[in-house]
Amino acid sequence: MTLLTRRGLLKTAAVAGASGVGLAAIGRLDGWAAAAPEPVVLQTAKIQAQLMGIGPTRNVLTYGSAGMPPVLRMKKGEPFAARLVNAIDDPTTIHWHGIRLPNKMDGVPFLVQPYVYTGDHFDYAFTPPDAGTFWYHPHCNTLEQMGQGLTGVIVVENPNDPKFDAEFVLNLRDWRLGDDGQFIDQFRPRDAARTGTYGTVRTANWHDQPQYDAPAGGLVRLRVAITDVTRIYAFRVDGAEADVMALDGNPVPELFLPDALLLGPGQRMELAIRMPDEEGAIVSLRDVRGTKPKILTTLRAMGSSLRRDIRDVAPLEVNPVADVDLTSAQHISLALSATAENIPSNGICGSLGYGFWAINKVPWPGDTPDPTAPLAELKLGKSYVIDMENLTPQSHPMHLHGMSFKVLSSSTRPVQPLISDTYLIQPNEKVSLGFVADNLGDWLLHCHIIEHQKSGMTSYVRVV
């Protein structure tokens, strides 16, 4: 695939801004989004929001006119369309995290689409093939834009899903705020070279420990997305029976308890929770990682007990992800490491100006007009196994765009054969991830701790 140059993309962006079609028109001509519905308008905005108890925070970013970006609901196998309208003083895009879609809809600047400049718009159109919980965010000036609020959750519905008595969606994220409730620097170099810079205020759906009412004795589906730029969570449910039924948009092979389940930025989980029978009883979702456990949200049992049984929850349908052929799969070695190499910062939303991390000893130079060569060139329809080794003392949630992989093995622990798009690799761990290269184009592979991504731990594969 020919890489798009800066000059060519700027020309395309100008045409898109004038005509309102841009690259999305190509997707429709290709048949990916035929008969697309009326688009959902996602207009970036700068607002004030109440994130602490001392007054509103200024310069919060969102899609819409007020509050948290909307939860977008799509239907599996049905066309979806969205128009991104940029009304902030910064170029932006939207990446649809975890959704297998056409390459031109992936939202990565220069690699697949132009920037959407202030006053311009871009039309996205695709048909989600998989049901589950996903999310959306910019892939431009990512640390600032995501850190200041531009992260939203996606629910792709399947009409064959089991029925629940209630459903709640949680958007988990930190904010870097000072004592006055205003934004402070989004990162510190010394932290970017380690685990990443943590936020000072923790929220679920932009609130501290929100509480939701659910039917006593009923079955609740709780969808959780970690849209934070840094924080890794260890989840636990107190006060009720609870099973993990899906991770990263895909059903788990076997249900299990969320007993300190570790998930990192970019990952999602779905819980089936059986509410207590007693009215007023409280169920809490906690993060038990580190020295300061945090209650993230609570559910309060209300009304007479419905006396449901958690065993009544039928299994989720498996998504149509091609199964890797291990007898013919080609192996790709991938090493995550630190680096002392300087990387350029000449992109409008390029690097942080530091080079701390690398993949196969190469630090990604940021969103620049001329990216480095792909990590690997893959043949359409062929099977591959990424043998990934973490040579660093930090954990890294590694995210692959455009395709889903199966977790095959780990050197440190037994693993379920999960289908996913993001894997939280531990220090000194070796993991094998198998997938079929079934989506043409250039697809990023990067750490979703954004400081790690922006300071070198990024590459991409090319499917031809």
Side-chain angles (χ1 to χ4, degrees):
M1 174 175 288
T2 302
L3 280 177
L4 300 175
T5 66
R6 179 180 177 86
R7 178 177 298 174
L9 277 172
L10 290 177
K11 181 178 179 181
T12 304
V15 172
S19 66
V21 288
L23 292 179
I26 300 175
R28 286 193 289 270
L29 291 175
D30 285 346
W32 278 90
E38 188 71 20
V40 174
V41 176
L42 296 171
Q43 179 167 309
T44 58
K46 187 176 290 186
I47 65 170
Q48 294 186 9
Q50 190 70 45
L51 302 174
M52 295 176 65
I54 58 173
T57 300
R58 299 184 299 273
N59 299 321
V60 175
L61 300 179
T62 191
Y63 300 98
S65 58
M68 185 179 69
V71 174
L72 298 181
R73 289 193 176 266
M74 310 175 187
K75 295 187 182 299
K76 176 183 177 180
E78 295 188 13
F80 172 82
R83 170 166 290 185
L84 169 63
V85 179
N86 190 11
I88 60 174
D89 297 329
D90 204 15
T92 192
T93 62
I94 293 180
H95 169 59
W96 311 87
H97 184 114
I99 296 182
R100 299 184 295 138
L101 39 55
N103 196 221
K104 292 180 175 65
M105 300 290 103
D106 197 42
V108 180
F110 288 119
L111 200 64
V112 302
Q113 78 157 88
Y115 293 130
V116 182
Y117 289 91
T118 305
D120 284 345
H121 67 267
F122 188 90
D123 290 331
Y124 294 92
F126 55 87
T127 298
D130 307 316
T133 305
F134 306 91
W135 64 296
Y136 62 106
H137 63 82
H139 233 287
C140 186
N141 198 5
T142 322
L143 187 61
E144 294 289 335
Q145 292 185 14
M146 288 177 58
Q148 290 180 221
L150 283 180
T151 61
V153 184
I154 298 169
V155 173
V156 182
E157 300 172 338
N158 182 347
N160 298 324
D161 275 355
K163 304 303 179 185
F164 289 84
D165 302 303
E167 176 177 296
F168 303 101
V169 179
L170 288 186
N171 181 335
L172 299 182
R173 53 163 302 124
D174 287 8
W175 307 85
R176 290 273 298 159
L177 304 178
D179 292 340
D180 60 354
Q182 304 310 311
F183 284 109
I184 58 178
D185 289 343
Q186 289 294 311
F187 85 102
R188 295 178 295 199
R190 67 179 182 274
D191 292 333
R194 298 173 182 171
T195 58
T197 307
Y198 286 92
T200 59
V201 175
R202 304 181 62 183
T203 63
N205 291 345
W206 289 28
H207 296 284
D208 180 26
Q209 302 180 26
Q211 184 172 95
Y212 302 99
D213 290 342
L219 296 176
V220 172
R221 185 176 196 164
L222 184 62
R223 299 178 183 264
V224 180
I226 303 173
T227 75
D228 192 62
V229 298
T230 303
R231 187 174 299 276
I232 295 170
Y233 290 73
F235 291 106
R236 181 167 291 157
V237 174
D238 294 325
E241 296 179 84
D243 286 325
V244 177
M245 61 178 185
L247 288 173
D248 300 336
N250 288 277
V252 298
E254 296 181 19
L255 301 180
F256 62 92
L257 297 175
D259 185 15
L261 171 65
L262 277 177
L263 294 177
Q267 294 194 273
R268 298 85 65 204
M269 72 172 177
E270 296 181 28
L271 298 175
I273 299 174
R274 200 278 187 181
M275 293 295 294
D277 292 308
E278 303 80 19
E279 185 171 23
I282 300 297
V283 179
S284 61
L285 175 68
R286 292 196 299 149
D287 175 18
V288 297
R289 189 169 188 259
T291 58
K292 295 181 179 180
K294 167 74 173 176
I295 294 177
L296 304 170
T297 192
T298 56
L299 304 177
R300 181 175 60 175
M302 298 298 290
S304 301
S305 177
L306 299 182
R307 301 191 180 280
R308 298 289 301 276
D309 191 323
I310 198 167
R311 292 171 296 183
D312 293 339
V313 178
L316 298 174
E317 284 189 354
V318 176
N319 286 320
V321 177
D323 199 12
V324 59
D325 182 359
L326 296 179
T327 63
S328 64
Q330 178 180 333
H331 286 249
I332 302 168
S333 296
L334 190 154
L336 309 180
S337 64
T339 182
E341 181 178 340
N342 290 325
I343 58 178
S345 56
N346 61 334
I348 291 177
C349 49
S351 79
L352 301 180
Y354 297 87
F356 298 127
W357 305 99
I359 296 178
N360 284 358
K361 300 182 179 181
V362 177
W364 178 264
D367 301 321
T368 60
D370 301 304
T372 57
L375 178 70
E377 188 169 287
L378 314 179
K379 300 298 183 184
L380 183 66
K382 299 295 184 180
S383 290
Y384 295 87
V385 174
I386 294 177
D387 296 312
M388 182 163 52
E389 182 176 8
N390 184 5
L391 302 175
T392 81
Q394 278 78 39
S395 300
H396 301 284
M398 299 300 296
H399 172 51
L400 176 64
H401 287 215
M403 292 173 285
S404 297
F405 53 73
K406 177 186 286 187
V407 181
L408 301 175
S409 65
S410 166
S411 64
T412 61
R413 61 190 186 278
V415 293
Q416 287 196 39
L418 299 168
I419 303 297
S420 180
D421 52 76
T422 308
Y423 184 84
L424 182 62
I425 189 169
Q426 301 300 307
N428 302 311
E429 181 182 6
K430 298 178 182 178
V431 64
S432 292
L433 309 172
F435 69 101
V436 177
D438 56 1
N439 207 349
L440 288 168
D442 291 340
W443 301 104
L444 282 191
L445 173 68
H446 65 87
C447 179
H448 228 286
I449 293 175
I450 302 302
E451 291 158 274
H452 294 181
Q453 172 197 345
K454 285 296 187 179
S455 57
M457 194 169 282
T458 307
S459 187
Y460 69 103
V461 296
R462 176 172 295 165
V463 179
V464 295

